[in-house]
């Protein structure tokens, strides 16, 4: 069965960095674009970033552009999110999400666009 398992979250000071990972299994990872979506306390889902199936095309929300970098290793079936210059407003649970169609890049947080989500990893940015 499909599994998405995030890791790498934690507590970091403003200006710090974290690298999130999402280990995927149960499907042909290299045929799917992947997204990161986050949910801050008391708020709705926010799309953060997406990467094409081959890793060549990346997209970012304006709120993270220039600070976050999405990447993937198809040989390891793993998705990454390098987060630099973190701000308190980046505090959220971060989810990796698999779109429900192969090769389709999804740039929204709309739940119906995805068929599988990870369990999430907490990122807290605070001094």
């Amino acid at each position: 069965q499909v599994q998405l398992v995030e890791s790498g979250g934690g507590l970091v000071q403003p200006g710090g960095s974290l690298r999130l990972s999402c280990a995927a299994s149960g499907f042909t990872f290299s045929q799917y674009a992947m997204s990161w979506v986050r949910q801050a306390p008391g708020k709705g889902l926010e799309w953060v970033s997406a990467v094409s199936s081959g890793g060549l095309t990346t997209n970012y929300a304006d709120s993270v552009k220039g600070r976050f970098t999405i990447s993937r290793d198809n040989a390891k079936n793993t998705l990454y999110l390098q987060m630099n210059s973190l701000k308190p407003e980046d505090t959220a649970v971060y989810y990796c999400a698999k779109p429900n169609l192969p090769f389709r890049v999804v740039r929204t947080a709309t739940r119906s666009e995805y068929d599988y989500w990870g369990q999430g990893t907490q990122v807290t940015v605070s001094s």
Side-chain angles (χ1 to χ4, degrees), residues 3-15:
Q3 283 194 313
L4 299 171
V5 180
E6 300 98 337
S7 61
L11 174 63
V12 63
Q13 292 187 342

Side-chain angles (χ1 to χ4, degrees), residues 72-83:
R72 64 191 295 161
D73 185 336
N74 284 347
K76 295 183 178 179
N77 287 355
T78 303
L79 175 72
Y80 302 101
L81 186 68
Q82 177 67 43
M83 305 186 296

Side-chain angles (χ1 to χ4, degrees), residues 6 9 20 36-41 44-46 48 83 89-96 117-124:
E6 300 98 337
L20 306 184
W36 286 99
V37 177
R38 68 186 181 185
Q39 187 166 27
L45 294 171
E46 178 189 14
V48 174
M83 305 186 296
E89 51 263 44
D90 294 318
T91 295
V93 178
Y94 284 72
Y95 300 93
C96 61
W117 299 70
Q119 84 288 352
T121 187
Q122 176 71 47
V123 172
T124 302

Side-chain angles (χ1 to χ4, degrees), residues 17-66:
S17 298
L18 283 175
R19 188 194 197 201
L20 306 184
S21 298
C22 171
S25 61
F27 66 102
T28 306
F29 183 70
S30 61
Q31 291 186 355
Y32 286 83
M34 294 292 293
S35 292
W36 286 99
V37 177
R38 68 186 181 185
Q39 187 166 27
K43 296 189 176 181
L45 294 171
E46 178 189 14
W47 173 79
V48 174
S49 184
V51 61
S52 61
S53 57
L56 296 181
T57 302
T58 58
N59 302 94
Y60 299 93
D62 288 343
S63 57
V64 307
K65 200 171 293 183

